[in-house]
Amino acid sequence: MSWLLLGTCLLVVGPAVQGVPGQCPSLCHCHGDLQHVICDNVGLKKIPRVSEVTRLLNLQRNSLGNIPTGAFSESKGLISLHMQHCQLREIGSQAFKGLKKLVYLYLSMNEINSIKPGAFEDLTELTYLYLDGNQISDLAKGIFSPMINLFILQLNDNKLRELRQGTFEGAKDLRWLHMSGNELTTLQPGSLDDVENLAILHLDNNKMSTYPSVAMSKLRVVEELTLGKNPMRTIPDNAFQSFGRYMEKLSLDNMGLEKFSDGAFTGVTAIKSLHLDNNKLKSLPRSLEYGTITNLTLSNNPWSCTCQLAPLRRWMDSSRNRPDAVCASPPQQKGKQVRDSTAMSGCRVKPKRAKKGTRHWPSNVQPSRYLNA
């Protein structure tokens, strides 16, 4: 991610010089013998032509409208392209043709509602793609297929309604997928099969009413999953089993969630952070193991302070983390904190044997790449 910081924190020096490829474009500032061309908020209406030696082109905050075919055909040396806040509405077929060295592409905060087939042709080195804050409602099958090195994809805050099989075909190295704030009602079976090595998956603030068990079943190494603000009432058995030994962070807050199936947390052995606040939960499933949890949020749920919560109470008694959780029943316990309730004092809890072992990563996943991102 240090490359990302380098690409966005460049010095802007030198006078604007009108010219053609080989010279600094009119109204822009250039640095490093045209390697960095900065045209941020200068009133451009068309994409300027830049030299093949240009490595970074910043076109933010200009009214460009669309990206026509071959717009960057003379910019073959680009590594980082910034087009945020450019009032873009469409990405045409072969819009980025020739950009075989591009690593960073920023298209955030535009009005993009159409991405034509072949739009991302030639982007074989692209690693970071930012499409957040647009109007995208549909993704064609294989639209990302040229991006064999794609690592981070930001699609949050669009208008996506569903994911179909083949959407991520070819993007086998994708690790971080952000789709928060869309209108997703379902993930079709097979829609995530091509990106089975996802480590971070954000699906919060969508419209999914059922947990997409089949679509999620091929995922293997998810570390962080957010599903908050989806109207799901239940989480089924084995929901996280395929990646449970890797999952460390799970957010299920603000869902109206009423219950977990008893086996919902089967296979989940490494969870550290679990967010369940602002739901309708009365109890927690027997399959939830507390031994690795260091951050648990439970507030604003109608907890039933009976022996079903005895494992939770036992964990609270032995943990520094004693989260806010108020009893709603039975009547004599109503209003009391779970951690202070005496209702579980006579309950028997069968201790669970701690599971120990070394974490094994697939050869193509490097945990160090996720640090400080």
Side-chain angles (χ1 to χ4, degrees), residues 123-194:
L123 298 184
T124 55
E125 291 299 316
L126 198 75
T127 308
Y128 306 95
L129 175 58
Y130 295 82
L131 284 163
D132 49 299
N134 280 287
Q135 305 291 318
I136 302 166
S137 60
D138 185 59
L139 294 169
K141 180 179 179 179
I143 192 70
F144 303 109
S145 59
M147 303 179 190
I148 58 175
N149 286 298
L150 191 61
F151 184 82
I152 293 178
L153 175 58
Q154 292 270 13
L155 283 166
N156 40 298
D157 300 317
N158 276 281
K159 296 186 179 296
L160 293 170
R161 292 186 292 271
E162 66 174 357
L163 285 186
R164 295 189 294 270
Q165 186 173 8
T167 298
F168 301 108
E169 183 179 294
K172 61 183 179 60
D173 281 343
L174 191 65
R175 296 292 183 269
W176 296 8
L177 178 56
H178 298 259
M179 293 188 291
S180 307
N182 277 277
E183 298 175 7
L184 291 168
T185 57
T186 184
L187 307 182
Q188 290 192 4
S191 58
L192 297 174
D193 286 6
D194 296 302

Side-chain angles (χ1 to χ4, degrees), residues 222-287:
V222 175
E223 293 182 2
E224 180 177 320
L225 175 63
T226 64
L227 286 167
K229 298 184 180 178
N230 279 282
M232 295 183 194
R233 292 187 177 182
T234 63
I235 301 295
D237 286 334
N238 306 311
F240 319 110
Q241 188 171 25
S242 66
F243 49 85
R245 65 193 181 108
Y246 292 100
M247 187 169 64
E248 296 182 353
K249 296 181 180 180
L250 175 62
S251 294
L252 299 170
D253 55 292
N254 297 281
M255 301 174 70
L257 190 62
E258 296 175 3
K259 67 172 292 187
F260 292 95
S261 295
D262 269 347
F265 286 90
T266 298
V268 178
T269 59
I271 193 157
K272 295 179 180 178
S273 180
L274 176 60
H275 299 286
L276 299 173
D277 39 306
N278 299 308
N279 283 299
K280 298 179 181 179
L281 293 168
K282 295 181 179 180
S283 63
L284 293 171
R286 287 178 291 182
S287 56

